[in-house]
Amino acid sequence: MALRNMRYEGDPVLNKIAKEVKELTPRTKELIGDLLDTMYHENGVGLAAPQVGILKRICVIDVGEGPYVFINPEIIESSGSQTGEEGCLSVPGKCGVVTRPNYVKARALNENFEPFEVEGTELFARAMCHEFDHLDGHLYVEKAEGPLQDMTYEDEEEE
């Protein structure tokens, strides 16, 4: 697997709609591995193919429960709401307040091209909405309530 080059806000590829994946090819499998490697390298919780310049409906998410691979995902149910800070690997060093559903149920194909459904709440629901938005050419900054803020990192060694 390999690290892919990130695309950043202002790159036109991030505003394009990704194409449906019709079959699982060796190149698609390689892309999935590269997305996971790149996401972990960049310390993200999710990464969509358009963020590395590939217009395919594929994204990966790991909020601490192991990685999920979503091919051609769609949200089939959502409810509730949560408002909180959100960041993006394609908008480095910034975060914004975004309101998203607190519960999401999604349908997709996995890395073996098998259909599955998954339910998520809180961070996982937020991550699914965020990454699926990338596949439709949208960044969280479009939904941000108020101006973006500079990200600050708390000193994790404080007692």
Side-chain angles (χ1 to χ4, degrees):
M1 305 301 155
L3 299 179
R4 299 278 182 127
N5 292 323
M6 291 294 304
R7 300 295 183 98
Y8 300 105
E9 184 179 21
D11 188 318
V13 76
L14 294 173
N15 300 116
K16 295 184 177 180
I17 297 174
K19 293 176 176 37
E20 182 180 353
V21 178
K22 304 243 188 241
E23 64 179 328
L24 188 61
T25 65
R27 287 187 67 184
T28 303
K29 288 182 180 183
E30 180 183 353
L31 173 61
I32 291 166
D34 292 353
L35 286 171
L36 288 165
D37 287 350
T38 304
M39 175 185 70
Y40 291 129
H41 177 78
E42 298 287 338
N43 295 315
V45 298
L47 187 64
Q51 291 180 273
V52 296
I54 307 295
L55 286 172
K56 292 190 175 190
R57 297 189 75 76
I58 301 172
C59 63
V60 295
I61 296 173
D62 189 347
V63 295
E65 304 163 4
Y68 282 88
V69 174
F70 294 88
I71 300 172
N72 303 330
E74 60 179 320
I75 293 173
I76 54 176
E77 192 178 321
S78 66
S79 64
S81 72
Q82 58 171 311
T83 300
E85 282 192 350
E86 204 164 301
C88 180
L89 295 176
S90 290
V91 188
K94 299 288 185 183
C95 63
V97 175
V98 178
T99 298
R100 302 263 192 197
N102 196 53
Y103 165 82
V104 168
K105 183 175 185 179
R107 177 185 302 136
L109 300 171
N110 67 15
E111 64 274 14
N112 298 312
F113 226 60
E114 301 162 336
F116 74 101
E117 289 185 1
V118 64
E119 298 175 281
T121 59
E122 299 174 1
L123 179 59
F124 190 33
R126 177 178 295 280
M128 283 191 280
C129 292
H130 179 111
E131 297 308 327
F132 299 174
D133 275 355
H134 277 298
L135 304 179
D136 291 323
H138 298 290
L139 294 173
Y140 85 95
V141 298
E142 298 168 31
K143 295 178 172 10
E145 300 164 15
L148 299 185
Q149 305 293 319
D150 289 332
M151 274 195 175
T152 55
Y153 296 95
E154 301 286 328
D155 185 349
E156 294 179 4
E157 296 178 12
E158 285 185 295
E159 295 181 28

